[in-house]
């Protein structure tokens, strides 16, 4: 009879990690990896980007996720969230939440502003991690291929708002995300994110400096620019993320060009997220508690 199974010793675990790392480097150097038409590199994202972001997600922000069962198991889905935090850290943490909480570890393909893709290094990293320009054409192409797409309709108005306006949703623009969902018959999954407002609380916006640097805003926070590079370290706020029940659109495909349908659906998504934010804030009375 076979003897009892031998558990891996610490040395065996590290041997496997080293072997896996060397195999990864060999594939990268030989070009034996896949990149899709948008520039998305799934292996690089899973092996390099996500492990780094996961340290923030689990240990620094202590993120809790609710309603992950509402993320589509298969096929397309448009995940729509509130935006805040001075930098788009909420988009990155949402990507980890979708990947780690989904039984099939799905990737969230984020839509970003034009400014992101005009910055040399950031543009390349965004493309490699699955992001693309926030336009209907790219959104619809991704949805048609069955991807999960993430969008933040508040844009810079949400990310750059003052701390006094925290967790108050800004205007959702013209509802382009609704039009993309309607044209492809894709369910819309509203998601509420609590925690990002506290990582870099904006106390003031130096607009003349922002215009000089061609930025949408130049934030002044309790730590930036006073502490120099240390001011870029996000405060360790407690994060809660809630995925709300999907809103179906399959029966509204013929209304993709109807402004009233688009407006009403966008307003429904916005109100769903706002109500979810209120619930999460009641659940998290202390922004920096456990």
């Amino acid at each position: 009879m076979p003897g009892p199974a031998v558990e891996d010793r610490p040395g065996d675990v590290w041997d496997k990690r080293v072997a896996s790392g060397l195999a990864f480097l060999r594939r990268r150097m030989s070009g034996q990896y896949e990149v899709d038409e948008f520039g998305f590199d799934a292996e690089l994202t899973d092996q390099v980007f996500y492990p780094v972001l996961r340290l923030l997600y689990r240990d620094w922000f202590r993120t809790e996720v609710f309603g992950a069962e509402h993320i589509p198991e298969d096929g397309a889905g448009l995940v729509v969230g509130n935006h805040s935090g001075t930098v788009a850290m909420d988009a990155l943490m949402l990507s980890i939440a979708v990947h780690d909480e989904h039984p099939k570890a799905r990737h969230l393909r984020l839509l970003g502003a034009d400014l992101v893709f005009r910055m040399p290094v950031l543009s390349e990293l965004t493309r490699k991690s699955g992001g693309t320009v926030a336009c209907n054409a790219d959104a619809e192409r991704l949805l048609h291929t069955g991807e999960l797409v993430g969008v933040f309709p508040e844009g810079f108005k949400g990310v750059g708002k003052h701390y006094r306006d925290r967790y108050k949703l800004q205007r959702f623009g013209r509802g382009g995300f609704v039009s993309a969902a309607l044209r492809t018959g894709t369910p819309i999954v509203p998601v509420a994110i609590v925690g990002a407002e506290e990582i870099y609380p904006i106390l003031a916006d130096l607009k003349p400096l922002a215009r000089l640097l061609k930025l949408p805003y130049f934030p002044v926070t309790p730590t930036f620019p006073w502490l120099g590079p240390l001011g870029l370290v996000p405060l360790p706020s407690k994060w809660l993320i809630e995925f709300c029940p999907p809103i179906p659109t399959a029966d509204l495909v013929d209304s993709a060009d109807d402004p009233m349908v688009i407006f009403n659906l966008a307003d429904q998504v916005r109100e769903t997220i706002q109500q979810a934010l209120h619930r999460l804030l009641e659940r998290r009375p202390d922004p920096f508690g456990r």
Side-chain angles (χ1 to χ4, degrees):
M1 296 180 62
V6 178
E7 295 183 1
D8 285 339
R9 293 170 296 180
D12 297 330
V13 174
W14 279 105
D15 285 345
K16 291 180 180 178
R17 290 178 178 175
V18 170
S20 176
L22 290 174
F24 170 76
L25 290 175
R26 185 163 53 249
R27 290 192 299 274
R28 306 308 299 184
M29 295 180 68
S30 62
Q32 297 177 0
Y33 57 91
E34 295 182 359
V35 177
D36 74 5
E37 61 178 310
F38 292 93
F40 176 44
D41 189 329
E43 183 184 48
L44 186 65
T45 298
D46 290 343
Q47 298 296 321
V48 178
F49 298 153
Y50 280 179
V52 173
L53 294 174
R54 202 169 280 124
L55 295 175
L56 288 171
Y57 177 84
R58 292 180 178 173
D59 301 327
W60 194 248
F61 296 138
R62 310 171 306 284
T63 308
E64 292 184 49
V65 176
F66 309 93
E69 68 275 9
H70 296 310
I71 306 171
E73 183 175 354
D74 296 292
L78 187 63
V79 181
V80 183
N82 59 298
H83 216 11
S84 62
T86 307
V87 297
M89 190 71 71
D90 49 6
L92 302 178
M93 295 301 103
L94 182 60
S95 294
I96 295 292
V98 169
H99 184 271
D100 287 6
E101 301 297 332
H102 196 281
K104 295 185 179 179
R106 299 192 67 180
H107 292 103
L108 183 66
R109 308 298 296 272
L110 294 168
L111 303 182
D114 292 348
L115 176 64
V116 173
F117 297 94
R118 292 201 301 267
M119 305 175 72
V121 176
L122 184 58
S123 173
E124 183 69 14
L125 291 175
T126 302
R127 289 285 186 188
K128 290 288 187 182
S129 61
T132 190
V133 180
C135 66
N136 275 23
D138 281 5
E140 290 176 25
R141 284 167 62 198
L142 286 168
L143 293 173
H144 273 305
T145 57
E147 297 283 359
L148 283 178
V149 177
V151 62
F152 297 87
E154 292 173 281
F156 288 123
K157 297 189 300 296
V159 167
K161 67 177 178 289
H162 286 216
Y163 186 65
R164 63 175 179 267
D165 297 320
R166 59 193 179 279
Y167 301 116
K168 297 177 182 177
L169 287 182
Q170 304 300 297
R171 190 171 59 86
F172 265 21
R174 300 177 182 177
F177 73 96
V178 172
S179 177
L182 292 178
R183 291 183 187 281
T184 56
T186 300
I188 299 173
V189 182
V191 58
I193 304 171
V194 161
E197 297 277 16
E198 291 86 15
I199 60 173
Y200 301 111
I202 295 182
L203 306 179
D205 177 10
L206 302 183
K207 295 186 183 299
L209 190 54
R211 286 193 293 270
L212 179 65
L213 298 175
K214 297 182 179 180
L215 297 172
Y217 52 87
F218 189 92
V220 175
T221 77
T223 60
F224 180 84
W226 325 113
L227 299 184
L230 283 177
L232 301 177
V233 177
L235 298 178
S237 57
K238 169 71 176 178
W239 284 47
L240 303 177
I241 298 176
E242 180 180 345
F243 294 92
C244 303
I247 299 173
T249 66
D251 295 336
L252 298 172
V253 174
D254 294 336
S255 302
D257 295 317
D258 188 329
M260 285 305 299
V261 172
I262 292 174
F263 174 82
N264 289 335
L265 192 51
D267 193 57
Q268 179 184 352
V269 174
R270 185 178 183 277
E271 185 60 25
T272 299
I273 296 173
Q274 186 66 75
Q275 292 303 317
L277 287 174
H278 292 322
R279 291 195 301 271
L280 292 179
L281 288 170
E282 291 178 0
R283 184 177 291 186
R284 191 210 64 163
D286 181 1
F288 299 98
R290 293 299 302 177

